[in-house]
Each structure stands twice: as structure tokens, then as C-alpha cells.
Amino acid sequence: MSTADSPTDLMERIVALCKRRGFIFPSSEIYGGFNGFFDYGPLGAELKKNIRDCWWNDMVRRRDDIVGLESSIIMHPKVWEASGHVAGFTDPLVDCKVSKQRYRADQLFFAAVVVDGKTVGYVSALESERTAEELQAAAENFKRKKAIQGKIEPVQPHDMTEAKPEEIPLIPSPATGEPGSLTPPRSFNMMFQTNVGAMTDGSSVAYLRPETAQGMFVDFKNVVDTGRVKLPFGIAQIGKSFRNEITPRNFIFRSREFEQMEMEYFIHEDADWAKCHQEWIAWCQAWLLSIGLPESHLSLYAHPKEKLAFYSKGTVDIMFKYPFGVQELWGIAARGNYDLTQHATASGKPMEHFDEATKKKFVPHVIEPAVGVDRILLAVLCAAYAEEDVKDEKGNVEKRTVLRFSPRLAPIKVAVLPLIKNKPELVDVAEKLYRKLKRKWNVFYDETGNIGKRYRRQDEAGTPWCVTIDFETIEKDGTFTLRERDTMQQKRITEAELFALLEEKVY
Ligand code: GAP
């Protein structure tokens, strides 16, 4: 379907389309941009809002067991001490002392160059889909340059967290190509700090939240006391989170300011947590399909037991095949009762639930599906993007770029197009229809350019339908031409049928 040559090309085209059509811009672009921050333009803001609305409707409004919450972004600093973020929300960081570049140690790979069983040097490469091939090529290049004779062995890639102290001075920096400038990995806390109030000393330090989840734990008691909820039940929240990522990358995939949609599902301590975990994994997969992501691009990754935090019972990520590789989209974690217990201990306020049946108090356990809005948006863009050869009205082959968004997510649901703009009878009908549709949906009115060009513009914006008001509309039965984005087929449709179509497809 897509004619892009390579994954890098494809990403570049998607990024270019996002800029050209007003989906996503680099933040503060007139000042050169700001790494890890992005702005959503008119189409992007609509697309993002539609993702949020679909999730909120399906997760909160259409269920009886989940309630919503909007907690503050800056919370008491003790929240982050109790949650473990102050001590442990870190990534391993490696500095290059010469270039001043910073790398995440687990994303910087190295390998020994081994010739005839002897290590003769080291090569390095940043993590990519082709890390091993790049390291192999670099090793062969190293051997050639140094005119070393003998048989080179296949490289064994390791990341910098695995480097032995004596190896670090020998590993070349990716920035300079020379060894000797990389520091040993050290822990870097990813929370953004700020000061609250007039003082800027240690006592006023606060943090921008790195996840929305803690709001749900801290307000657990408030919701239980006011929300008439009964176990099992969930609290859901959508909101911005902030992480000072060492290496923001892959466009909006890993940024420093992003939006999360998280839900904490509280269950009885004796409940079958594994079954509940599986049910939520299935729910999340089905939801991704409902917004149009193809099943072929989704897969599951179960975190190995030995890499889980001590309190965690299991984490499964739903992975998406992005052009730059298969990456985490949605994490579904079984977190036991760790978070509520931590906050109960630190605040001195009990977080227990009373079991009417056994007359016993206990701290509920939690299953947490946590996903990034921006990551979903990027997955949706990548899956929807296509370039095709099509024939114009004269039979000439031309390229069309199309975003095949599901109608649920499409930023513009319908474009209303009067066939010609200098015929008042046509324009009058078109404007009336446009105003009527606009009460319920985001629709677009376009009267400039020939009709073929107007269709193409809507294809690039991902608009599922165009409605053309033509002479048949005003001279015959009042029907319009409905042009379907994906098939490009056209048919006559009445106003009532158009409204019924939208009601059915946009929910
Ligand atoms: N409360 C659990 C939690 O926050 P996480 O795996 O760190 O877990 C959940 O984040 C989701 O948030 C991820 O699966 C991803 O979709 C999104 N996310 C995390 N860091 C991100 C970043 N730097 N940029 C964009 N999205 C991010």
C-alpha cells in the first residue's frame, strides 16, 4: 500500500505530512524548536481529542464500574517519596565529556572487536533496528583501518549498563568515534523539579508529575467515601505527564511532555488477579482495534519475572509495529497493593476496604492499564498513512497521499463541497448543510479549486467522506454525491441517510 522506500523514509514522510497539514509542529519552532516537546496543530488537536474522547467514553461513561478523576499535576512532594519516584525513577545516563552529548546507557551499545580470539578494540552504536549489523560493520571497518590480519569473530553486542569498568575507557563515543570520553553510567532522576511559593530553597521543591497514576492512589479514599463504588471498581484519568527523558526520540513516541490515559482497577485481595489482568489485556487489545489499528501490527510482550519490581505480579505490554521498530504502546501491570500500602504508611491515613462478607479490612490490589495518548496518535498516523497511484478524471496516473483514519478518530468527519462557488443556489444549500452538520460533528467547508483537488486535500487530512452539492441536488431530488475516501467511490445520498451514516460510524 505504501510506496515509501525504507522505515526512515516513511517516518520522514509522516513527519512532513504532519507539519504540512497542521497535525504536529515542533514546539517553539520560531526559536529553533525545543527537543522533546511538540505542539498539536488544528488537525492534530482534533485527532488527539477524539482519541481521548473515545477512551473516556468506552472506559468510563459506558461502564458501570469505572469512575473518572482529574487530579492536580503538581502534588505534595511526599507523594513522590512514598511512591518511590524520588529515590528510584531513574534512567542510567552516560556522558561524552568531549561532545557533551548524553546517552541512555541502555540505548548505547558496544562490542569488542575480536580477531583470532584476541580483543583488539571496541566499537559502539546507538540502539536501532540494526544495532548488531551496525556494530559488525564498524568492527570490520576498525580491523581494516588498523590493518589487522586474521579472522574476525561475529560481534556480541552489550549495552553500556553491562560494560566492565576497565572496558569503559576503551569504548568509542558515538559522537566523536574516539575512545576515552565516555563516563561510567550513573543514575539520572527523570522528574522535572520546580519550586512552589516565593522561596526557592530545598523546602519549596515540588515535581511535575511523571505519571497520572499516583493521583488515583492518593484520592482512593475520597472516591470510595463519595463515589458509591464497590469492589471491583476502577478510577480513570487522562492528563499530562512530564519526564526529563535523556534521549527523547522517534518524533512524539518518546517526548518530555506527553499525555497519559491510565486506569487503576481495584480488586479484592483474594480475587483472581491473573484472570483480571488477562481480561484487561483483552479489553485494551479490542479497544485498539475499535479505533482502527490493524491486528497485524499488534503483539504482546510479557516482562520476564526477574526484571519485575519486587511488588509486581506481572506486566504485559501491547506492542505496536512502528516504522522504527516494534515498541511499547500500552503497559498493563498487576501491581499488588504496593501503592496504596505505601501511601497509607507515609500519610498515616488507612487505605483499607471493609469486606461486608468476612467483616475484615484489607488493602485492595490493583491492575493498571497505562497508555500514552501521543503514542496511540503516532500508531494511528503510521497505520493510516498510505501513498497510492490513482487515475485523475483525464485518466492520468497521479499519486495520492491518504490517511485512512477510522471515522471515530478522523479530525474532520465530512467535507461539504459546493460543485462551483459562483452559483448561489448551490452555495446556499451547501452552507445550510454545513451549519447543520457542524452542530454535532467537526466538518469542513471547501469551495476552492477543482473538485478532484478538493478530494485530495481531504484524503491527506484523513476525512472519511466528502459531500458534493451539485446540479442534481438543486434541480432534482435534493440528494448529494457522497464520495468515500478509501474506495473513492461515489453514490447519491439523502440528508437523512448522511446523518444516519454519521450516527452509526462516529460513536
Ligand atoms: N503508571 C505507570 C506508567 O506510567 P509507563 O510504562 O512508564 O507506566 C505508561 O508509562 C505509558 O505512557 C507507556 O506505555 C507509554 O504509552 C506512555 N509513555 C511513557 N513515557 C512516555 C514518553 N516519554 N513519551 C510518550 N509516551 C510515554
Side-chain angles (χ1 to χ4, degrees):
M1 191 162 60
S2 165
T3 55
D5 321 305
S6 74
T8 325
D9 271 359
L10 177 58
M11 262 322 284
E12 277 170 12
R13 285 172 212 218
I14 291 171
V15 174
L17 175 72
C18 285
K19 175 87 203 299
R20 186 167 78 241
R21 292 309 312 260
F23 280 94
I24 302 167
F25 311 122
S27 163
S28 325
E29 198 180 10
I30 58 168
Y31 293 102
F34 201 36
N35 197 9
F37 297 91
F38 294 90
D39 296 343
Y40 288 82
L43 288 180
E46 282 292 333
L47 179 58
K48 207 171 177 202
K49 180 178 180 331
N50 293 341
I51 293 172
R52 275 191 227 113
D53 287 352
C54 280
W55 189 87
W56 191 261
N57 286 336
D58 293 341
M59 180 64 98
V60 182
R61 291 193 172 164
R62 291 175 185 147
R63 294 184 66 108
D64 299 325
D65 56 347
I66 297 181
V67 292
L69 180 79
E70 203 172 308
S71 64
S72 61
I73 287 177
I74 298 177
M75 296 195 271
H76 198 293
K78 283 192 179 154
V79 169
W80 306 109
E81 280 166 28
S83 67
H85 284 79
V86 171
F89 194 59
T90 55
D91 265 346
L93 167 80
V94 167
D95 280 303
C96 168
K97 286 179 281 185
V98 173
S99 68
K100 309 292 176 213
Q101 293 279 347
R102 297 191 138 174
Y103 304 100
R104 241 175 78 170
D106 55 346
Q107 293 173 352
L108 174 50
F109 282 76
F110 72 95
V113 183
V114 183
V115 178
D116 288 342
K118 249 184 73 189
T119 297
V120 293
Y122 286 83
V123 287
S124 65
L126 292 174
E127 186 188 35
S128 73
E129 280 294 279
R130 305 183 53 254
T131 311
E133 288 105 302
E134 280 174 27
L135 286 171
Q136 187 66 42
E140 279 157 23
N141 202 23
F142 178 94
K143 173 178 175 272
R144 201 172 321 112
K145 265 196 177 154
K146 304 257 171 192
I148 300 169
Q149 300 299 315
K151 188 167 175 295
I152 191 164
E153 288 178 19
V155 292
Q156 305 289 328
H158 296 279
D159 73 49
M160 284 296 285
T161 61
E162 301 166 306
K164 297 187 191 106
E166 62 275 20
E167 286 180 312
I168 289 170
L170 307 173
I171 299 169
S173 156
T176 62
E178 297 298 325
S181 64
L182 293 179
T183 63
R186 65 186 166 88
S187 288
F188 171 79
N189 193 301
M190 290 197 290
M191 281 199 293
F192 280 105
Q193 273 192 25
T194 186
N195 294 88
V196 173
M199 306 295 283
T200 51
D201 58 9
S203 68
S204 66
V205 166
Y207 305 95
L208 301 195
R209 69 177 173 205
E211 61 170 25
T212 59
Q214 295 305 320
M216 274 85 91
F217 297 124
V218 170
D219 274 330
F220 172 75
K221 261 293 189 198
N222 281 334
V223 173
V224 170
D225 292 346
T226 57
R228 302 171 67 107
V229 286
K230 266 205 196 136
L231 281 186
F233 74 91
I235 310 179
Q237 164 156 232
I238 301 179
K240 289 261 179 153
S241 292
F242 304 82
R243 295 182 190 179
N244 196 1
E245 296 281 357
I246 298 166
T247 47
R249 59 182 180 159
N250 291 328
F251 196 31
I252 54 170
F253 177 81
R254 189 183 302 288
S255 53
R256 288 176 167 141
E257 173 178 337
F258 55 98
E259 209 164 341
Q260 288 186 308
M261 305 195 288
E262 297 195 280
M263 195 276 294
E264 307 301 329
Y265 199 71
F266 297 99
I267 56 176
H268 197 287
E269 61 177 350
D270 298 331
D272 185 348
W273 69 266
K275 182 165 166 260
C276 186
H277 192 216
Q278 285 307 321
E279 282 166 3
W280 276 109
I281 296 166
W283 188 95
C284 297
Q285 285 174 303
W287 189 81
L288 292 171
L289 298 181
S290 85
I291 58 160
L293 290 185
E295 200 165 3
S296 57
H297 283 45
L298 299 174
S299 53
L300 294 181
Y301 169 74
H303 289 229
K305 283 247 163 354
E306 62 278 11
K307 294 220 166 157
L308 294 174
F310 70 92
Y311 53 80
S312 174
K313 297 183 162 196
T315 297
V316 169
D317 291 339
I318 302 181
M319 312 293 283
F320 182 79
K321 199 165 129 210
Y322 291 95
F324 44 84
V326 175
Q327 298 281 344
E328 175 191 335
L329 175 59
W330 201 330
I332 301 111
R335 298 179 60 87
N337 62 6
Y338 175 76
D339 304 88
L340 287 182
T341 306
Q342 285 293 103
H343 287 301
T345 310
S347 67
K349 306 280 185 313
M351 297 280 177
E352 290 157 330
H353 207 79
F354 183 69
D355 186 339
E356 293 287 350
T358 61
K359 307 287 179 215
K360 261 176 54 190
K361 283 182 177 173
F362 66 93
V363 180
H365 288 225
V366 76
I367 306 290
E368 176 194 73
V371 68
V373 183
D374 314 77
R375 268 192 203 179
I376 292 184
L377 193 142
L378 184 57
V380 164
L381 272 171
C382 294
Y385 184 91
E387 291 172 18
E388 312 171 330
D389 288 333
V390 291
K391 288 204 176 118
D392 67 11
E393 310 92 76
K394 294 181 190 134
N396 301 321
V397 174
E398 59 171 21
K399 206 165 259 341
R400 92 160 174 152
T401 303
V402 55
L403 287 172
R404 298 183 192 279
F405 293 138
S406 82
R408 292 190 85 186
L409 294 190
I412 301 169
K413 307 301 181 200
V414 179
V416 178
L417 320 172
L419 188 64
I420 44 176
K421 67 174 173 189
N422 49 8
K423 187 90 182 154
E425 298 94 307
L426 288 181
V427 170
D428 192 41
V429 175
E431 276 183 359
K432 279 205 183 99
L433 177 68
Y434 167 67
R435 292 276 156 222
K436 208 164 167 187
L437 287 164
K438 215 170 158 60
R439 280 190 226 143
K440 285 201 84 170
W441 297 285
N442 190 42
V443 292
F444 191 78
Y445 184 85
D446 188 4
E447 56 178 24
T448 51
N450 74 41
I451 202 78
K453 281 223 176 75
R454 282 185 265 168
Y455 286 155
R456 292 284 174 278
R457 281 203 288 267
Q458 292 307 317
D459 288 344
E460 270 201 348
T463 308
W465 300 286
C466 291
V467 172
T468 304
I469 288 75
D470 47 29
F471 290 101
E472 244 182 283
T473 316
I474 50 171
E475 287 164 8
K476 285 194 182 158
D477 52 5
T479 60
F480 321 112
T481 301
L482 182 85
R483 187 258 191 187
E484 216 266 312
R485 177 196 64 204
D486 296 346
T487 59
M488 293 189 289
Q489 281 180 356
Q490 304 186 5
K491 65 171 184 188
R492 305 296 302 177
I493 189 169
T494 64
E495 188 179 303
E497 285 166 343
L498 175 63
F499 273 76
L501 175 72
L502 284 163
E503 289 288 356
E504 187 204 326
K505 301 283 185 192
V506 182
Y507 59 94

